[in-house]
Amino acid sequence: MSVQLKVARSAGTVGIFKHAVTMVMGMWLIVGLFIDGFAHNHGAVETFFTPWHAILYSGYLACAIWILIITYQNKIKAHHATWAASIPTGYKLGVAGVIIFFIGGIGDMLWHTIFGIEKNIEALLSPTHLILLTGALMILTSPYRAMSYAEKDISPSFRRLLPALTSVALTFAVMAFFLMYAWSFRQNLWMAREEDAVAKAVVDFLITTMLLVLPIMLVMRRWKLPFGTVTYFFVFEAVLMAVLDGFSHYGSIVILLISGIIGDLLLKSIKEKEAGAWQYRGVFFLLPVLIWSLYFADLRLFHTLDWSPELWGGTIFICGLCSMGLSMLTAPLTTGRKQ
């Protein structure tokens, strides 16, 4: 048997537990990112060397060391194999991400030392921060790629699929972080009265909708969703985004918890259908309608909502339609059958 074949088999033996450890390290990294975001949003960052940067970069270091460990274990199993050939299946981009994140971290330290600390949207669009984003995405998506390749069961349990789900959840949470200015739950919508402000608010609703529904659609292309997936994705993202404002917008967690549970119940009722069935498209229309109906109801009851029914009703409807349209495009096709 060739060395290459031995390595391939060895790489494929990376189990659920090791993927789970990768995600624990990834959580460490991303919690540090969101704490750093909270500090930036509240003017607490004056230097590169801060406690929240320590959490962020120690999380990165933990990810890097762990990926090195599992690669080394594969190298030991396949004698005389190269380091590159010993990287576990699905983790090659993760290794590249470790290198890119390291470069971004060094650059970030130099950038802050020379140019100072950015604020607001400038901080999110800083060149070094975008390099860090690139590296983080490559690291965090590794377990999903690995499990997509290795997991043969089309309908795994929630527990078994959890590392892959967390990989997807963390990826979209990071994207939501860098789009925090478009996260609708953070906006003072009742203050949007001018035409430009209202138009931006509607766009923000659409962006937030995409960040919420696309993770579900992505996983559905590979597996039948175990019960709890929608709730897990929704609450995961809501909690992390709430960190940015010290949980002052905790209502988003309640809204997305309710919506997630209802979404899980709806998907469970049609679980035996093929992923391209029209019932799934109906669910993806209803999910945004439910989320934003609860959101506008909350504004009407506890805040101020000066929008006309055409505005808030149309916003709810167009979010549902866009979600349904995406579900049509992302649904896996069954050869020889009409969709």
Side-chain angles (χ1 to χ4, degrees), residues 1 15 17 122 139 143-145 153-154 225 242 252 269 285 308:
M1 183 181 296
F17 175 76
E122 288 180 358
I139 294 169
Y144 176 77
R145 286 192 301 273
D153 187 357
I154 195 173
L225 298 185
S252 62
S269 68
F285 171 77
S308 66

Side-chain angles (χ1 to χ4, degrees), residues 294-308:
L294 290 173
Y295 177 83
F296 282 110
D298 175 64
L299 284 184
R300 176 70 72 182
L301 292 173
F302 302 108
H303 301 283
T304 301
L305 179 61
D306 292 332
W307 282 21
S308 66

Side-chain angles (χ1 to χ4, degrees), residues 19 39 54 64 73 100 105 150 160 181 219 221 225 255 294 303:
H19 295 317
Q73 290 174 341
I100 291 173
R160 182 169 182 80
Y181 46 84
V219 177
R221 288 183 63 84
L225 298 185
I255 290 172
L294 290 173
H303 301 283

Side-chain angles (χ1 to χ4, degrees), residues 15 20 28 49 52 75 82 91 98 127 154 162 173 186 199 220 281 302 307:
W28 182 351
F49 299 98
W52 26 93
K75 183 174 172 60
T82 64
Y91 279 76
V98 167
I154 195 173
L162 186 57
R186 300 185 69 236
M220 281 185 60
R281 296 164 189 172
F302 302 108
W307 282 21

